[in-house]
Amino acid sequence: MAPVPKTLTYLAEEKTLESSFVRDEDERPKVAYNQFSNDIPVISLAGIDEVDGRRAEICNKIVEACENWGIFQVVDHGVDVKLISEMTRLAKEFFALPPEEKLRFDMSGGKKGGFIVSSHLQGESVQDWREIVTYFSYPIKNRDYSRWPDVPEGWKAVTERYSENLMGLACKLLEVLSEAMGLEKEALTKACVDMDQKVVINYYPKCPQPDLTLGLKRHTDPGTITLLLQDQVGGLQATRDNGKTWITVQPVEGAFVVNLGDHGHYLSNGRFKNADHQAVVNSNYSRLSIATFQNPAPDAIVYPLKVREGEKPVMEEPITFAEMYRRKMSKDIELARMKKLAKESNCRTWRRQNWRPSL
């Protein structure tokens, strides 16, 4: 009989953390998953379509949040509560399936969509403590339904509706930022050309030694804007001082956390921050979040749409989003490789300095 595959739901039953998930001390959590902060603004979108009403006030709050953090939460966003509930329920049911059932949709080896532990990125030296399911949902013509899990029943149809709703919400938020930059309201959306959308459902099981690892390593999203639905457990953390201090984002029932990505940061010429964030885990509760990434088309040009008087462009030259993404991933992997080499060199030096011949 074949051994049961080691998904995280299996490893969560162990008393110690598998070494492939253990992070260096400088990368480990500094703030608890439930030590919540109210620093991230929660903004009601009720009235955002009222041109002569609350729109200006709402827009000012969104712009301020993007300038200060690159992250905020929205409520009264118009996405149906029942749809959110269904999407969450079906996601939980999937991750509760036996390991062999989840691994029918294994996306390792470069497959575009499906299930995997930690990350679909290649070359990472330390694994994240999470299981994920990924759908590539826009452009619609590029959907590959063979990579969408066929269980639980009805998940595909719910995901289609969810994706459509979040595409609409994301475009509405990008309109606000376009207007704040003094551009036509479709400017940021048009800069994406044929906007991509990727839905990533993250499941963070209870962890035997959460202080040694991360659910998702520190990063900024490469794309334009991300909408995150999270449960009430807590674990999303943000920093705006390059990692010196971290806060845990207060979960708000039914809210979407909005992160601005690198593409949005560059289009605004650095005016709007790209949210620097990570996810931590705990030993008491499993956690679920659903991230919807709105990204430009691979051939979309990345360069500031407007440079204000007295400023210089934050980019040396226009490049495609595909090239921007490639450079970002290569840099991240190279930094991890160099850190690993330095650590191994320090260990060898320590052994040489402390070696004593046996008598």
Side-chain angles (χ1 to χ4, degrees):
M1 184 176 177
V4 177
K6 286 192 174 183
T7 61
L8 289 195
T9 27
Y10 173 84
L11 292 177
E13 302 302 319
E14 300 292 316
K15 292 184 178 179
T16 57
L17 188 67
E18 193 169 283
S19 61
S20 62
F21 295 94
V22 176
R23 295 203 165 266
D24 291 340
E25 285 192 27
D26 63 326
E27 296 180 338
R28 294 175 188 174
K30 298 176 177 65
V31 179
Y33 76 99
N34 56 357
Q35 189 178 331
F36 298 129
S37 166
N38 292 315
D39 285 2
I40 302 301
V42 180
I43 303 171
S44 170
L45 299 186
I48 195 170
D49 296 320
E50 299 170 5
V51 178
D52 299 321
R54 291 195 61 236
R55 182 175 176 83
E57 177 192 344
I58 296 167
C59 292
N60 287 338
K61 289 179 179 179
I62 291 173
V63 169
E64 184 180 359
C66 287
E67 290 177 338
N68 290 335
W69 281 97
I71 182 171
F72 57 99
Q73 301 196 64
V74 294
V75 294
D76 304 318
H77 40 64
V79 181
D80 184 39
V81 175
K82 290 181 180 178
L83 177 60
I84 291 173
S85 178
E86 271 297 274
M87 187 69 179
T88 302
R89 178 184 66 81
L90 291 164
K92 287 179 178 178
E93 287 183 11
F94 177 85
F95 288 109
L97 292 171
E100 58 272 15
E101 184 69 9
K102 288 185 282 191
L103 285 163
R104 282 202 299 118
F105 310 103
D106 181 25
M107 66 179 287
S108 58
K111 299 185 186 75
K112 195 167 184 181
F115 169 83
I116 201 166
V117 169
S118 179
S119 174
H120 62 286
L121 302 176
Q122 305 297 312
E124 295 200 314
S125 56
V126 182
Q127 289 186 290
D128 292 327
W129 185 263
R130 66 169 181 165
E131 298 178 351
I132 65 172
V133 169
T134 297
Y135 299 96
F136 291 86
S137 42
Y138 277 84
I140 293 175
K141 64 180 183 292
N142 293 342
R143 285 181 183 174
D144 181 1
Y145 287 113
S146 70
R147 301 305 310 157
W148 292 38
D150 54 17
V151 288
E153 186 178 349
W155 200 12
K156 174 183 159 184
V158 170
T159 299
E160 288 176 329
R161 296 205 315 276
Y162 186 85
S163 298
E164 181 182 357
N165 273 256
L166 267 68
M167 175 66 82
L169 177 57
C171 289
K172 183 171 290 190
L173 294 170
L174 291 176
E175 286 180 2
V176 169
L177 298 180
S178 295
E179 291 176 350
M181 292 168 61
L183 304 169
E184 61 170 332
K185 67 180 183 179
E186 294 86 8
L188 285 171
T189 302
K190 285 180 178 177
C192 295
V193 186
D194 193 4
M195 192 181 286
D196 278 9
Q197 185 193 71
K198 179 174 71 171
V199 180
V200 178
I201 300 104
N202 303 288
Y203 177 65
Y204 305 97
K206 290 186 289 185
C207 180
Q209 293 179 291
D211 294 342
L212 301 181
T213 191
L214 291 171
L216 181 57
K217 71 175 183 179
R218 178 186 173 185
H219 67 289
T220 59
D221 297 337
T224 315
I225 195 169
T226 305
L227 306 178
L228 180 83
L229 178 70
Q230 62 168 340
D231 63 20
Q232 299 301 292
V233 172
L236 174 64
Q237 297 188 336
T239 179
R240 59 175 175 177
D241 57 11
N242 199 30
K244 293 177 184 175
T245 57
W246 288 89
I247 62 164
T248 305
V249 178
Q250 172 77 56
V252 176
E253 187 74 44
F256 286 103
V257 181
V258 183
N259 293 343
L260 206 66
D262 298 338
H263 182 240
H265 173 74
Y266 290 134
L267 293 184
S268 72
N269 200 42
R271 177 183 174 186
F272 303 139
K273 292 184 181 293
N274 43 350
D276 193 350
H277 60 290
Q278 65 184 21
V280 299
V281 292
N282 70 88
S283 58
N284 299 316
Y285 305 100
S286 296
R287 175 174 174 256
L288 184 83
S289 71
I290 304 173
T292 305
F293 299 90
Q294 307 289 153
N295 300 325
D299 58 353
I301 299 300
V302 184
Y303 198 72
L305 294 179
K306 186 175 183 178
V307 179
R308 293 189 288 185
E309 188 175 346
E311 293 181 348
K312 293 182 179 180
V314 293
M315 300 180 69
E316 293 182 359
E317 61 180 354
I319 57 175
T320 64
F321 179 68
E323 176 62 16
M324 189 208 90
Y325 183 82
R326 186 195 68 77
R327 292 181 188 180
K328 178 184 177 72
M329 294 301 107
S330 297
K331 181 181 178 182
D332 287 352
I333 290 171
E334 180 62 14
L335 287 172
R337 189 183 73 84
M338 294 300 292
K339 186 172 183 178
K340 183 180 179 183
L341 289 174
K343 184 179 179 182
E344 290 171 350
S345 175
N346 289 338
C347 287
R348 286 195 296 269
T349 301
W350 185 90
R351 282 197 294 269
R352 284 197 302 268
Q353 292 174 344
N354 291 273
W355 181 79
R356 296 288 185 275
S358 57
L359 301 175

